[in-house]
């Protein structure tokens, strides 16, 4: 069964460093999403992406964040200058059509900022 | 007021019990209602989604939505220890609009 994959599973970085989180969505999916989950808190929407453009972003997704689909398979989230409060699980998700209600999540990348 | 409210639990039930998990929401624009299961330190796994009010059944799982009261339920019949996980309710207005999650209810099914 096709699945969303994410790398790395765990990333440790120092405050102020740039990180890139990588995702490979399900191959025939067209819509891509990033969410984060701070430990003990709810899953929060960051951004949705379609046709090489951001479709929607939350107030969390400020200028420090960017997304890119550099080739036909990868979808990346970049955090330019990490802060302690960026420590969280970051989940990539994808959906085949316009139905965000039927999106499938990857296993997540645990980001620890020290 | 939080857009999607969910009791975090934990909820402990004996194996074989019927489990009832619930959420309320405040945004009248929500049209789709989802239930995800999340094991510790894993990604959410979509169990089922429902459009508008009504019921939807999938095996031992039944989702119920009452838009008039903004109330969402998930029932699990004949619960198994493998059902032990956190259950997240989520809502969306349709299309590729963002999905808004509840905090999740932690369920433990005791053998």
């Amino acid at each position: 069964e096709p699945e969303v994959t994410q790398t790395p599973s765990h990333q440790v970085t120092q405050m102020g460093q740039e990180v890139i989180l990588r995702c490979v969505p399900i191959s025939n999916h067209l819509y891509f999403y990033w969410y984060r989950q701070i430990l003990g808190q709810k899953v929060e929407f960051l951004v949705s992406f379609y046709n090489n453009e951001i479709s929607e972003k939350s107030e969390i997704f400020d200028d420090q964040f960017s997304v890119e689909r550099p080739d036909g398979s990868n979808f990346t989230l970049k955090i330019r200058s990490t802060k302690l409060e960026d420590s969280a699980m970051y989940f990539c998700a994808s959906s085949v059509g316009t139905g965000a209600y039927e999106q499938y999540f990857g296993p997540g990348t645990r980001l620890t900022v020290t | 007021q939080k857009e999607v409210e969910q009791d975090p639990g934990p909820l402990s039930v004996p194996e074989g019990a019927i489990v009832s998990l619930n959420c309320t929401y405040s945004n009248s624009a929500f049209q789709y209602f989802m239930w995800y299961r999340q094991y510790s330190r894993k990604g959410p796994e979509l169990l089922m989604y429902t459009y508008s009010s009504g019921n939807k059944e999938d095996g031992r799982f039944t989702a119920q939505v009452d838009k008039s009261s903004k109330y969402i339920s998930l029932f699990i019949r004949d619960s198994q220890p493998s059902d032990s996980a956190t259950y997240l309710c989520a809502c969306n207005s349709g299309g590729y609009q963002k999905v808004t999650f509840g905090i999740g209810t932690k369920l433990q099914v005791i053998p």
Side-chain angles (χ1 to χ4, degrees):
Chain A
E1 186 175 324
E3 56 184 21
V4 176
T5 59
Q6 289 185 244
T7 53
S9 57
H10 187 198
Q11 173 94 45
V12 181
T13 190
Q14 288 190 323
M15 197 166 51
Q17 295 297 302
E18 174 183 287
V19 294
I20 297 176
L21 310 182
R22 292 182 167 79
C23 167
V24 178
I26 295 172
S27 62
N28 64 332
H29 285 191
L30 301 174
Y31 291 80
F32 315 113
Y33 312 83
W34 283 102
Y35 292 81
R36 80 172 185 190
Q37 186 176 31
I38 295 170
L39 188 64
Q41 298 188 24
K42 65 177 184 174
V43 175
E44 299 175 288
F45 170 80
L46 292 178
V47 65
S48 59
F49 190 86
Y50 169 71
N51 200 25
N52 281 320
E53 289 184 345
I54 290 174
S55 304
E56 186 179 5
K57 59 183 181 179
S58 72
E59 57 276 6
I60 302 169
F61 194 89
D62 61 21
D63 292 344
Q64 293 299 311
F65 292 87
S66 62
V67 289
E68 192 178 34
R69 188 151 162 84
D71 54 43
S73 59
N74 289 283
F75 179 50
T76 62
L77 174 70
K78 182 192 291 186
I79 309 175
R80 261 181 274 283
S81 177
T82 50
K83 306 182 187 73
L84 293 175
E85 54 265 36
D86 292 328
S87 295
M89 285 288 286
Y90 287 82
F91 296 109
C92 173
S94 66
S95 63
V96 64
T98 57
Y101 46 85
E102 198 174 4
Q103 57 189 270
Y104 296 89
F105 282 73
T109 292
R110 181 155 62 105
L111 177 65
T112 303
V113 182
T114 61
Chain B
Q1 183 182 14
K2 294 178 185 175
E3 281 198 290
V4 180
E5 298 219 39
Q6 190 174 9
D7 185 338
L11 176 65
S12 291
V13 300
E15 183 176 354
I18 296 175
V19 176
S20 172
L21 303 167
N22 308 293
C23 287
T24 58
Y25 65 94
S26 59
N27 188 341
S28 300
F30 289 149
Q31 295 289 335
Y32 290 87
F33 306 92
M34 292 75 80
W35 284 96
Y36 286 85
R37 178 173 61 197
Q38 186 177 30
Y39 294 109
S40 182
R41 295 190 178 270
K42 301 291 185 186
E45 173 194 358
L46 179 65
L47 289 174
M48 56 203 311
Y49 70 87
T50 310
Y51 172 69
S52 194
S53 285
N55 293 358
K56 188 172 185 178
E57 188 174 317
D58 185 359
R60 295 185 295 111
F61 298 88
T62 299
Q64 204 169 72
V65 176
D66 181 348
K67 288 193 72 180
S68 64
S69 59
K70 296 188 174 71
Y71 198 81
I72 312 161
S73 300
L74 177 72
F75 300 96
I76 307 174
R77 288 185 299 283
D78 187 25
S79 54
Q80 303 295 309
S82 58
D83 294 328
S84 299
T86 297
Y87 289 81
L88 312 176
C89 64
C91 309
N92 133 295
S93 304
Y96 51 71
Q97 299 297 311
K98 69 175 186 178
V99 173
T100 302
F101 284 83
I103 197 164
T105 299
K106 187 169 184 178
L107 171 68
Q108 185 179 18
V109 181
I110 302 165

